[in-house]
Each structure stands twice: as structure tokens, then as C-alpha cells.
Amino acid sequence: MPKALVNEIELFYDIYGTGEPLLLIAGFDSDSSSWSVLMPFLVKHYQVIRFDNRGVGQSSAPKSLYSIQQMSVDTIALLDYLEISQVHVAGHSMGGQIAQELTLAQPEKVKSLILLSSWAKGDSKFHAIIELFGDLPSKLDAVLYQTSLLPWLFSDRFYATPGVIEQIINQIRKYPFLPKPHALYHQSRAILNSDTSKRLASIYAPTLVMVGQQDIITPIKFSEHLAQGIPNAELVMLEQVGHACFIESPEIVAQKMLKFLTKH
């Protein structure tokens, strides 16, 4: 499988579909596989590029400190490696932080920006949650840790769907690339040290902000802040879905994304 050597680490990536390039940036503890249920809807219209951030999946997991800006530099280096000069960018959660930094650093590369379940600056409760998410991996078995995150990610409706959570837990048990505790700690601290709130007005790319109404990690107020701070941003709130909105309702999320992308 393809890997790019960038910034002294290896980044795993894959590319599917044809058309204008669309880059997907995953969130905390997530790798490129997290986009799998959304991919069939996107590859019909775009050349979709997925990759594993440093610390997860099949990418390198250095033991030094991480930062969101550093991960945005990784992402820019990957685009340069792939000789992609302009791209639509979609980031989920921490991936939305990375996408914001990428857009601020090299605005000429970003044709449009989609921020899913993301934020500019967290509050005290959010910081407590993320700190806990970073500390727990060294205390728990890897599969138990991943399972413990599920109630934070999904809505009441999703949990009530027969067999769905059990299927996800079985996938976790079989997955060969679960991240190491040190990498999750470093990703969590990168999140805690990131803040774009005073720079949002400098994001001029057409922007879609999307959030689930049952998101208990990054509540609606975070997305409202993004949409108010980014010039001419659109805000879409999705009913009955949680933080992992594109896993719960991939068809609806894809429809919203594609409608936005076709305008830009």
C-alpha cells in the first residue's frame, strides 16, 4: 500500500475515483478507514484522497510531541508529494482543526473547506474530555479503550439500531492497526494546544460547517462559532446524529457535502 515519506515520517494514503481532488482528514484516534462508509458516495464524483495522520493507522507514530500545525504541514507535504496544487478539503473533528491550519497556511491550495463536528477553541469541559481521552489509553486494553469511546461518538438513535454497535465492536477487535497509547496521548495534547478562534476571519475559502444535534463532544455552539467567524460560511445541523455524523448518516452527509461542492 502506498506511503509517502514527508517531514521525516511515513504517511499512509490511498486514492479512489476520478475528477477534482477531495482530501479527507480524519479526527483523533481515527485513520483513513473511518471514511469507508462515506467513500461510495464521494468517489462517483471526485478523486478522493484519504490518509492516516501521524500516530494512527499505517503511518509513523513518533514518540515526540505532536501539534495541529505540524500535522497540517504533514498534510501539505503529502499534497506536494502527490503534485496536487488545489484541492477541496474536508476534516472531521481534529481533522477539521488540521484543515483550518492548512487553509490558513496555504489558502491558494484550498478550493473549498468542509468542517465536520469541529471547533476553533474548546471550553473547559471539552478540554477535560480530551485530556481524559489522551490519558486513558495507557490505563486500558486497546480494544476496551476503543469500545469506551463509542457512547461519546454516536446518538441515542444509532445505539437503538439492532446489531450496529456489536458490528462496530467486532470490527475493532479484528482491526490490525489500533493506535498506540503514546500516539493518542500526543494527538490529544495537540488538540488541547490548538486555537484558531482569532484567525477565523482570515479563512476565505468557501466553507461548509456541519454538526450533529446530538454531538456531546463538540456541541452545536462550537460549529456556530466557526460559522460566525469564517466569512460567508454555511452552517448545517443534522438531526438525530452525534459526533461521528458521517458514520451514522453517510448518505445524508454526502448529499450535503456534494451539494456544497458542486457550487464551488
Side-chain angles (χ1 to χ4, degrees), residues 3 44 113 150 154 180 254:
K3 292 185 179 182
K44 297 175 183 178
L113 178 63
L150 298 182
F154 299 115
K180 299 291 190 292

Tab-separated table of all heavy atoms in Angstrom, residues 3 44 113 150 154 180 254:
chain	number	residue	atom	x	y	z
A	3	LYS	N	2.849	4.670	0.631
A	3	LYS	CA	3.242	5.544	1.729
A	3	LYS	C	4.142	6.637	1.171
A	3	LYS	O	4.941	6.388	0.271
A	3	LYS	CB	3.971	4.775	2.830
A	3	LYS	CG	3.096	3.801	3.586
A	3	LYS	CD	3.851	3.162	4.743
A	3	LYS	CE	2.959	2.199	5.514
A	3	LYS	NZ	3.676	1.591	6.677
A	44	LYS	N	-17.880	8.620	-6.751
A	44	LYS	CA	-18.610	8.732	-8.018
A	44	LYS	C	-18.396	10.101	-8.663
A	44	LYS	O	-18.621	10.266	-9.869
A	44	LYS	CB	-20.108	8.523	-7.787
A	44	LYS	CG	-20.493	7.153	-7.267
A	44	LYS	CD	-21.986	7.114	-6.962
A	44	LYS	CE	-22.404	5.785	-6.366
A	44	LYS	NZ	-23.849	5.756	-6.013
A	113	LEU	N	-13.715	24.294	1.767
A	113	LEU	CA	-13.410	23.727	3.079
A	113	LEU	C	-14.694	23.205	3.709
A	113	LEU	O	-15.702	23.908	3.743
A	113	LEU	CB	-12.782	24.814	3.964
A	113	LEU	CG	-12.423	24.467	5.403
A	113	LEU	CD1	-11.358	23.386	5.456
A	113	LEU	CD2	-11.954	25.729	6.134
A	150	LEU	N	-17.234	4.716	22.152
A	150	LEU	CA	-18.418	4.649	21.290
A	150	LEU	C	-19.611	5.451	21.812
A	150	LEU	O	-20.266	6.140	21.021
A	150	LEU	CB	-18.815	3.180	21.053
A	150	LEU	CG	-17.760	2.318	20.341
A	150	LEU	CD1	-18.294	0.902	20.128
A	150	LEU	CD2	-17.338	2.935	19.019
A	154	PHE	N	-21.709	8.376	19.177
A	154	PHE	CA	-22.950	8.076	18.468
A	154	PHE	C	-24.185	8.505	19.250
A	154	PHE	O	-24.172	8.620	20.468
A	154	PHE	CB	-23.023	6.580	18.157
A	154	PHE	CG	-21.908	6.100	17.271
A	154	PHE	CD1	-20.972	5.199	17.746
A	154	PHE	CD2	-21.782	6.581	15.979
A	154	PHE	CE1	-19.932	4.761	16.934
A	154	PHE	CE2	-20.745	6.151	15.158
A	154	PHE	CZ	-19.819	5.239	15.637
A	180	LYS	N	-1.256	3.258	19.215
A	180	LYS	CA	-0.544	3.039	20.471
A	180	LYS	C	-0.878	4.150	21.473
A	180	LYS	O	-1.186	5.283	21.087
A	180	LYS	CB	0.953	3.003	20.216
A	180	LYS	CG	1.407	1.885	19.278
A	180	LYS	CD	1.232	0.533	19.943
A	180	LYS	CE	1.897	-0.578	19.145
A	180	LYS	NZ	1.223	-0.831	17.867
A	254	ALA	N	-23.147	12.931	2.819
A	254	ALA	CA	-22.620	13.016	1.454
A	254	ALA	C	-23.464	13.948	0.595
A	254	ALA	O	-22.923	14.742	-0.194
A	254	ALA	CB	-22.561	11.624	0.829
